Amino acid sequence: MKETNRMKRVNEELKRDISNIINYELNNSKITGLVSVTNVRVTPDFRYAKVYVSILNSKNTKATLAALKQSAGHIRSELAKEVSWRLTPEIVFELDETLEYGAKIDSIIKEITKDLKKEE
């Protein structure tokens, strides 16, 4: 299904607003490390928003993700204050591991190039 321009704008607005709420307004000691909202996908009926987050330098990534899921209701109520929509979507958090995967691939490439330079 192709994403319309309107849905792209909605997703970007939610991404920005949810990121601000998590980083500046949410006070939960269980959320550790750097939490980045990497993507948001809203269903066409605006009932659900799947929020992909990347968690870096966390003491416990699973505990941080669980704390975010527990705080979803609070984040949703804060989001309702930011956006003036008839319906505020229910937030579902998912862990986005693409940044970690990219860092792992990058370190592997650096190791290979270092080994190749030693052979020369």
Side-chain angles (χ1 to χ4, degrees):
M1 184 172 80
K2 189 173 181 318
E3 194 176 48
T4 64
N5 284 336
R6 178 176 181 240
M7 289 305 287
K8 286 179 186 176
R9 285 194 314 268
V10 166
N11 289 333
E12 283 300 313
E13 182 179 352
L14 283 179
K15 178 180 165 183
R16 184 182 63 245
D17 290 341
I18 292 171
S19 181
N20 286 337
I21 292 168
I22 290 172
N23 291 314
Y24 301 115
E25 298 175 24
L26 193 64
N27 294 322
N28 189 332
S29 60
K30 294 177 185 171
I31 298 174
T32 59
L34 176 66
V35 177
S36 301
V37 177
T38 57
N39 200 1
V40 174
R41 295 269 182 234
V42 180
T43 57
D45 62 1
F46 286 77
R47 294 205 183 276
Y48 297 95
K50 192 173 272 193
V51 179
Y52 295 92
V53 293
S54 175
I55 302 168
L56 300 173
N57 301 329
S58 177
K59 295 175 187 167
N60 186 339
T61 303
K62 288 183 180 178
T64 299
L65 185 61
L68 280 172
K69 288 179 180 181
Q70 286 176 344
S71 300
H74 175 71
I75 294 169
R76 182 181 183 196
S77 65
E78 290 297 317
L79 184 63
K81 296 174 189 174
E82 298 290 324
V83 295
S84 55
W85 299 343
R86 186 173 53 86
L87 183 70
T88 304
E90 188 174 321
I91 298 171
V92 179
F93 284 103
E94 293 287 330
L95 187 62
D96 185 358
E97 297 174 337
T98 54
L99 290 177
E100 292 174 23
Y101 183 74
K104 184 178 179 183
I105 296 294
D106 193 42
S107 69
I108 291 170
I109 290 172
K110 285 180 181 176
E111 283 293 317
I112 291 171
T113 55
K114 188 165 58 171
D115 291 344
L116 288 174
K117 287 181 181 178
K118 284 181 184 177
E119 290 178 4
E120 289 178 353

